Amino acid sequence: MESKSLHWQQNRAIALEWSGAILGMSGSLIMSVNQPWSKWAWAIWLVSNLLLLFYALMRRSYGLITMQVFFTGTSMLGFYRWIIA
């Protein structure tokens, strides 16, 4: 039973890591094309930051946790300034 639980946690960690990475790269690509819809990169980055934050929490990677908390804050500011305000 413990083996299945560990396997499930590893798969979840891999899914969080790769989903966060792919969304982060997608947000960068969307912003780099500088189109009117590029502002939505902020929303994509926000989701990416949260996924990678959960991944870092699972791995107890405190440097990555710190960075993702900061990036989440900047993504929230960007989302507010570009989309809401």
Side-chain angles (χ1 to χ4, degrees), residues 6-59:
L6 180 61
H7 184 66
W8 182 81
Q9 286 180 343
Q10 289 172 338
N11 285 341
R12 184 173 62 169
I14 291 168
L16 287 171
E17 179 184 20
W18 281 103
S19 297
I22 290 167
L23 284 172
M25 291 184 290
S26 299
S28 293
L29 181 62
I30 288 169
M31 185 60 79
S32 72
V33 297
N34 197 21
Q35 294 296 312
W37 43 267
S38 291
K39 64 185 178 183
W40 291 103
W42 293 104
I44 293 168
W45 282 329
L46 184 57
V47 174
S48 170
N49 298 147
L50 292 171
L51 291 170
L52 290 171
L53 177 60
F54 289 129
Y55 169 77
L57 287 167
M58 288 179 69
R59 297 292 187 196

Side-chain angles (χ1 to χ4, degrees), residues 57-75:
L57 287 167
M58 288 179 69
R59 297 292 187 196
R60 293 187 174 103
S61 180
Y62 299 110
L64 188 56
I65 291 168
T66 302
M67 185 174 69
Q68 290 307 317
V69 167
F70 179 81
F71 284 167
T72 299
T74 60
S75 293

